[in-house]
Amino acid sequence: MDQHKQRIANLRLENEKCNKKLEDLRQENRNLKSENSKLRSQLQDIQNELPSREVRSPPQDRQNELPSPKERSPPQDSQNELPSPKESMSKAVDHKLESSDESRESEPPTVLKKRVTKKHWVKLPFQLSSTENDGQQPQETNADDPKSCWMQSEDVTKKPLKQCTSPAKAFSPRTQPKVSLVSIGIDFGTAFTGYSFGFKGAKQIRQPKWGEEYGMNTPKTPTCILFDENKNFLKFGYDAIMYYTRQTRRNEAKKLFLFDDFKMELYGKVLHRDSMMTAKNRKKMRAMKVFSESLKFMKVHALDMIGKQTSGVKYSASDATWVLTVPAIWSAAAKQFMREAATEAGLVTESEPERLIVALEPEAASVWCKQLPKEGFMEGDLTEAETIEQVPGTQYMVVDCGGGTIDITVHEVVEGGRLKELHRVSGNNMGGQTVDKNFKAFIREIFSENVFDEFEENHPSELQRLLYDFSICKRYDGEVLVQCPYSLQQIASKVDDIEAYFSRDNDVDWESGQILLSGAKLKDLHEDSVRGIESLMKEILKKPTLNIRYIFLVGGFALSPYVNRFVKEKFGSKCQVLCPVDAQMAVVNGAVMFGMMPNVVESRISVFTYGIAVVHFFDKIKHKGKSKYVSKDGVHYCDVCFHCLVKKDESVPFDEAEQYIFNALEIEQNEMLFSFYCTEKETAEFVDEEGMMKIGSLAVSMPKISQGRNHSVILEIKFGFTEMQATATDVDSGETTSVKMDFMSK
């Protein structure tokens, strides 16, 4: 018997040795794979620095177009001779090449494929993955197409009203930027904001702790900023809340400008650089200043923290690649707004815009989740492999449940651990703050409008604390206790006995200064949000071409047991539902990794059909009732035609470019302007169709006008990144400049 026990002990010992050896081999394998991935990334970065060798040829039916004179300006000495352009349209003209004369019959073809070897790329705030309806794209129409226009009103001849002589916005050619030493990701959230950073060549990603002096110790700080009565920056985050609270007690708070939960001010609105926001004291301030000062605070804090982590070595903003995450549902204008706010904050300069990457929140979270081992998730067996990125062909969905928005993306792992988008990003504004709003409305209903309005107006900091306490309760299942603010108790007691307020509802009770919510009531407060999540996921999962294996729930709201349980109950039979241990940090940590490998998503799906406005020879049948432009020499054009650049649901590679050559329409034209449009339709003919939206424009100067209508500009566009990239080349001079598109109204 003793010999048998000894034998078992020996076998166990031998087994432990084998397991240890196996673990060592696995670790060695992981190290090799990591080194291989790093080498691949470095190789890709080198390739990206080389001129592009492949350019997508435009389809045959996109040939022969010219820029329209509308919004193009002639030389100063001829301004009185030419019709002035309409402010709202800049076009390219489409016609056939018949001879070399300057007459109508001889206007040259203008959409030609031509490789440009000298490029200077600049990121523009144009998002393939935006679900906001402010981006528009024009598609060229074929004059020989028998399809008739939807609009059948009488022919209308419109004369241009105003000449536009502003030069194109451009970035001058520059030297190769220095290599970034650190990648810094900023998650500018609706309720909380935080950052993480990682040094080049290191695996560790670090972030600070916030609010320790107030007993909080959280990985993010409240998205709350405070200015003094002269609109000078004072505090951000917990410091802003606490300082404001102290001033409230001294009756000084009404002089201060406090903004909280203001991120969604950029959602679903027409934006311009002078857009205003309303503070708690009901006074207004420029939104650009509120956002730029918030980002400046995060920049200073991050650089200071990095210096502490490197024995006092001082880092500047130009030493870093900054990755700013935004919701997938934000418009192109909102993304541009954030880029300009970051530039104003000093994260980057206009001469080095590539140091700032505007990344989609669900994409950043996807980059984080794909490299997590099974130990990185709360529960569930991930796969036999170490991480998802090691299994090419794996399809998964990322559901980013944030405070303001729900954003979803679907990816497939390809060779080398990179990702391919399978379904256009989607989302809504039904994030965790929808539950907070329902809770606030419920408390208002309990105490009556008069009581709650008095409390909200005179004690905003206590209301902030009430909502913060409730946000923590969202992470618990069943009954929860929420501390009732003292001031609310005092105001309510003047009207009625405090317990009487709670006698009318069985789902809530009063318990020694605390509000007791039943589990049923807490679930009911989640109902709007979970139904919003369900509708988005159902729409994607019904696609027969998808074979999604995993669903990753990320974001702070994903930690709600009601959200987690709901998704598992509804979709757990189809896919494995997993939640990372650090779900609330998935976006910001993924942003750091995104900055180290910005080409990790090798292709994306277009949410809209995008294009530009062009002009065609006026066809009395096809263009009946459409806007007409008459050139200086009497040629009639339809000036509302749509030229498609990218179709809805089209997969666009990260490094693929489209090139077009546009010729001048007027003989003495010295500037071209292009108006960009988008539509949810897969095909479109005219920019005045229902559902067509103008999203922005860009201008290109043509200083040499000796070639007349033969004067050409090459427009080359990349759609595959999170922001559009474009260059314009003057064919006569050979000069290439990067043009900046403006998506904001002014």
Side-chain angles (χ1 to χ4, degrees):
M1 189 69 178
D2 291 339
Q3 291 180 350
H4 181 68
K5 289 182 178 180
Q6 183 61 41
R7 185 179 179 185
I8 292 176
N10 292 338
L11 288 173
R12 286 177 176 171
L13 182 61
E14 189 66 27
N15 185 52
E16 290 177 2
K17 291 180 180 179
C18 289
N19 287 337
K20 180 65 169 63
K21 186 174 182 181
L22 179 61
E23 183 58 31
D24 291 341
L25 290 172
R26 284 179 174 172
Q27 183 60 43
E28 184 178 355
N29 185 46
R30 283 195 289 266
N31 294 339
L32 290 172
K33 287 181 178 179
S34 175
E35 187 65 27
N36 183 45
S37 176
K38 189 184 301 181
L39 291 173
R40 283 177 181 270
S41 178
Q42 292 174 354
L43 177 61
Q44 186 66 40
D45 292 339
I46 293 173
Q47 291 174 343
N48 289 341
E49 294 176 3
L50 299 176
S52 174
R53 297 186 178 183
E54 295 185 4
V55 176
R56 293 175 67 186
S57 301
Q60 193 65 30
D61 63 355
R62 295 187 185 179
Q63 303 289 329
N64 307 328
E65 296 191 353
L66 286 176
S68 152
K70 295 193 176 183
E71 292 190 0
R72 296 170 179 55
S73 53
Q76 289 295 323
D77 58 359
S78 62
Q79 286 185 3
N80 296 327
E81 300 177 16
L82 296 178
S84 59
K86 279 192 302 185
E87 292 182 343
S88 60
M89 289 288 174
S90 60
K91 312 285 188 290
V93 63
D94 179 19
H95 53 180
K96 307 295 182 183
L97 174 64
E98 297 180 6
S99 70
S100 59
D101 297 332
E102 291 286 352
S103 64
R104 171 179 176 176
E105 291 78 16
S106 65
E107 295 170 44
T110 57
V111 179
L112 305 173
K113 174 185 174 185
K114 182 172 182 180
R115 181 166 175 260
V116 182
T117 56
K118 182 181 178 183
K119 298 179 184 145
H120 175 54
W121 293 108
V122 152
K123 297 183 179 65
L124 306 177
F126 185 99
Q127 264 268 356
L128 273 179
S129 306
S130 171
T131 57
E132 187 67 25
N133 294 344
D134 70 343
Q136 310 168 354
Q137 162 179 349
Q139 173 176 331
E140 166 204 21
T141 58
N142 189 339
D144 297 326
D145 192 336
K147 289 191 299 180
S148 62
C149 160
W150 70 277
M151 188 173 178
Q152 300 296 331
S153 58
E154 297 180 356
D155 290 359
V156 180
T157 301
K158 294 186 179 179
K159 298 252 184 196
L161 302 176
K162 181 181 178 182
Q163 291 181 336
C164 179
T165 57
S166 356
K169 296 181 181 179
F171 294 109
S172 303
R174 52 184 174 75
T175 58
Q176 186 69 19
K178 62 182 180 181
V179 177
S180 294
L181 304 177
V182 61
S183 176
I184 305 174
I186 299 178
D187 181 10
F188 197 97
T190 304
F192 292 89
T193 294
Y195 68 84
S196 294
F197 61 93
F199 294 100
K200 183 180 179 181
K203 294 182 180 180
Q204 185 180 9
I205 295 178
R206 314 177 194 187
Q207 60 275 141
K209 291 294 184 181
W210 301 86
E212 290 179 309
E213 61 271 42
Y214 308 114
M216 299 297 184
N217 195 28
T218 58
K220 296 181 181 180
T221 191
T223 306
C224 180
I225 189 169
L226 185 65
F227 298 85
D228 66 18
E229 57 188 309
N230 297 316
K231 300 183 179 181
N232 297 314
F233 170 76
L234 284 177
K235 306 284 183 180
F236 186 88
Y238 287 119
D239 292 338
I241 295 174
M242 297 305 174
Y243 185 89
Y244 188 76
T245 300
R246 290 194 293 269
Q247 298 307 307
T248 301
R249 293 168 185 162
R250 300 170 186 168
N251 295 320
E252 295 291 322
K254 291 185 178 181
K255 298 179 181 179
L256 306 177
F257 290 77
L258 178 71
F259 300 90
D260 61 354
D261 302 338
F262 54 86
K263 173 183 174 180
M264 294 302 287
E265 289 289 325
L266 302 186
Y267 175 68
K269 296 182 180 179
V270 176
L271 296 174
H272 50 80
R273 292 170 185 83
D274 292 324
S275 293
M276 305 297 286
M277 288 171 52
T278 304
K280 290 293 183 183
N281 61 4
R282 299 180 182 177
K283 295 182 180 179
K284 295 184 179 296
M285 184 182 293
R286 285 179 62 242
M288 183 65 74
K289 180 170 184 177
V290 176
F291 279 86
S292 65
E293 289 292 345
S294 300
L295 290 172
K296 183 186 293 185
F297 171 83
M298 300 304 290
K299 176 198 73 173
V300 173
H301 196 286
L303 294 176
D304 182 61
M305 174 62 65
I306 291 171
K308 293 177 181 178
Q309 298 284 326
T310 54
S311 302
V313 177
K314 189 173 182 179
Y315 283 77
S316 66
S318 62
D319 292 321
T321 293
W322 299 85
V323 184
L324 183 58
T325 62
V326 298
I329 65 172
W330 268 14
S331 66
K335 297 178 181 77
Q336 178 183 344
F337 189 97
M338 291 301 290
R339 173 170 285 278
E340 293 192 8
T343 303
E344 189 173 305
L347 274 68
V348 293
T349 61
E350 290 192 358
S351 62
E352 290 187 318
E354 72 286 342
R355 287 195 174 277
L356 173 65
I357 298 172
V358 177
L360 300 184
E361 290 168 359
E363 279 193 357
S366 177
V367 172
W368 179 250
C369 289
K370 78 180 180 68
Q371 55 83 49
L372 285 177
K374 59 184 179 182
E375 295 82 9
F377 296 91
M378 291 185 180
E379 58 182 16
D381 194 12
L382 183 62
T383 176
E384 293 180 0
E386 292 295 330
T387 63
I388 281 181
E389 66 182 359
Q390 297 175 359
V391 189
T394 301
Q395 296 183 11
Y396 62 92
M397 175 190 295
V398 175
V399 183
D400 178 22
C401 305
T405 61
I406 304 295
D407 293 307
I408 299 180
T409 190
V410 180
H411 285 154
E412 178 179 325
V413 179
V414 296
E415 292 295 335
R418 284 182 167 80
L419 301 171
K420 176 173 68 174
E421 190 174 68
L422 300 178
H423 188 278
R424 61 184 182 274
V425 292
S426 56
N428 58 38
N429 61 341
M430 303 297 288
Q433 286 207 328
T434 301
V435 185
D436 297 345
K437 290 176 183 177
N438 290 342
F439 171 73
K440 182 178 176 181
F442 178 62
I443 297 299
R444 181 190 298 272
E445 182 182 337
I446 290 175
F447 286 104
S448 78
E449 289 190 8
N450 292 336
V451 169
F452 193 85
D453 288 346
E454 182 181 346
F455 166 69
E456 183 175 19
E457 181 176 356
N458 297 312
H459 305 279
S461 60
E462 291 192 47
L463 174 60
Q464 177 83 20
R465 180 69 194 201
L466 172 65
L467 295 176
Y468 174 78
D469 289 344
F470 174 73
S471 69
I472 301 300
C473 292
K474 288 187 295 187
R475 300 184 182 182
Y476 295 94
D477 203 355
E479 293 182 342
V480 294
L481 284 168
V482 184
Q483 182 67 43
C484 183
Y486 177 77
S487 297
L488 179 56
Q489 295 182 47
Q490 294 298 307
I491 297 171
S493 298
K494 295 176 183 178
V495 179
D496 201 349
D497 183 72
I498 196 71
E499 294 185 357
Y501 290 99
F502 297 87
S503 62
R504 297 181 288 270
D505 195 317
N506 294 329
D507 288 327
V508 65
D509 206 348
W510 180 255
E511 184 128 341
S512 302
Q514 294 179 305
I515 302 170
L516 177 64
L517 290 175
S518 68
K521 187 60 185 181
L522 194 55
K523 180 181 179 181
D524 182 60
L525 296 175
H526 280 75
E527 190 67 17
D528 293 337
S529 288
V530 296
R531 293 303 173 190
I533 295 171
E534 179 186 21
S535 63
L536 291 172
M537 295 180 67
K538 273 186 175 180
E539 183 68 23
I540 296 172
L541 290 172
K542 71 180 183 182
K543 303 290 183 182
T545 56
L546 298 178
N547 184 26
I548 297 174
R549 184 174 177 183
Y550 300 104
I551 296 174
F552 296 132
L553 295 177
V554 302
F557 190 37
L559 296 175
S560 167
Y562 296 96
V563 172
N564 209 289
R565 183 166 55 246
F566 180 86
V567 173
K568 288 180 178 179
E569 289 175 354
K570 287 290 182 179
F571 306 104
S573 60
K574 299 178 182 179
C575 312
Q576 191 169 355
V577 181
L578 299 172
C579 184
V581 173
D582 52 356
Q584 74 273 31
M585 299 301 291
V587 170
V588 69
N589 287 345
V592 175
M593 302 182 71
F594 200 102
M596 296 177 179
M597 190 167 64
N599 57 355
V600 62
V601 181
E602 66 174 29
S603 65
R604 291 177 172 87
I605 303 294
S606 178
V607 171
F608 292 110
T609 294
Y610 292 99
I612 58 176
V614 296
V615 300
H616 291 192
F617 283 129
F618 197 89
D619 184 293
K620 292 183 178 179
I621 298 176
K622 183 175 181 59
H623 301 139
K624 183 178 179 181
K626 292 296 181 183
S627 174
K628 184 185 295 184
Y629 173 80
V630 182
S631 66
K632 179 184 175 183
D633 49 0
V635 182
H636 290 224
Y637 299 99
C638 176
D639 61 3
V640 290
C641 298
F642 180 76
H643 179 95
C644 179
L645 299 176
V646 174
K647 287 187 177 182
K648 180 180 178 180
D649 290 328
E650 180 181 349
S651 179
V652 185
F654 169 83
D655 57 352
E656 190 169 285
E658 291 252 18
Q659 272 191 0
Y660 302 93
I661 294 182
F662 295 96
N663 280 16
L665 180 59
E666 299 287 5
I667 295 175
E668 296 181 320
Q669 186 174 320
N670 66 356
E671 184 181 71
M672 282 189 196
L673 284 100
F674 300 89
S675 294
F676 284 73
Y677 291 79
C678 84
T679 177
E680 292 190 357
K681 299 178 182 178
E682 290 190 8
T683 58
E685 294 185 89
F686 303 101
V687 298
D688 60 356
E689 292 181 19
E690 184 178 1
M692 187 71 71
M693 298 153 289
K694 185 175 180 179
I695 56 170
S697 60
L698 61 84
V700 182
S701 295
M702 301 186 299
K704 297 182 180 180
I705 60 174
S706 58
Q707 296 296 318
R709 292 193 185 91
N710 292 322
H711 195 169
S712 303
V713 168
I714 298 174
L715 182 67
E716 181 165 313
I717 305 175
K718 275 190 177 183
F719 279 96
F721 197 57
T722 57
E723 298 174 279
M724 193 185 78
Q725 300 173 323
T727 59
T729 302
D730 184 79
V731 175
D732 292 334
S733 65
E735 296 180 358
T736 297
T737 58
S738 296
V739 288
K740 181 177 181 180
M741 186 177 296
D742 193 357
F743 294 97
M744 289 192 280
S745 59
K746 65 178 180 178

